[in-house]
Amino acid sequence: MNQDISHNERQLLGNLLRASGRDPDGFTAVVQPDGLVRVSGPRGTAFYPRDCWFTRFSRHLDKSFFDPEVPAPSGPRLERKGAENAAAGA
């Protein structure tokens, strides 16, 4: 059975998420029976060793691993100048 992370960890997690501009309600973190911390966010779930989960999660959050995908821009695509010349020379 999963158990909740500690009260202090929950506060740290909420503070980190708010400071990074993310909604804490969009994330969950629980300790699994195998001892791993499972963190779920808008874009996925990751599993971390209990003793270093917060540090590793912070790094992944900083790299936007949990952020929703950004849709590709709509409209015509711009080509770089010289792209045709470079392709012709290959």
Side-chain angles (χ1 to χ4, degrees), residues 1-86:
M1 177 174 214
N2 294 333
Q3 69 183 67
D4 202 11
I5 57 176
S6 74
H7 176 72
N8 289 342
E9 288 173 314
R10 181 143 317 279
Q11 284 185 319
L12 281 171
L13 178 61
N15 290 343
L16 173 67
L17 292 168
R18 278 187 289 282
S20 68
R22 293 169 178 91
D23 180 11
D25 292 335
F27 289 81
T28 61
V30 295
V31 181
Q32 300 186 141
D34 61 6
L36 293 176
V37 176
R38 183 182 73 214
V39 181
S40 297
R43 188 174 160 198
T45 299
F47 301 86
Y48 302 101
R50 182 75 174 110
D51 62 341
C52 61
W53 80 269
F54 192 79
T55 303
R56 290 189 181 181
F57 170 73
S58 298
R59 285 189 215 136
H60 288 167
L61 189 69
D62 189 47
K63 293 179 180 179
S64 302
F65 289 173
F66 289 90
D67 293 346
E69 289 190 54
V70 177
S74 59
R77 293 189 169 213
L78 300 176
E79 291 186 29
R80 291 186 193 184
K81 291 182 181 179
E84 292 174 356
N85 294 340

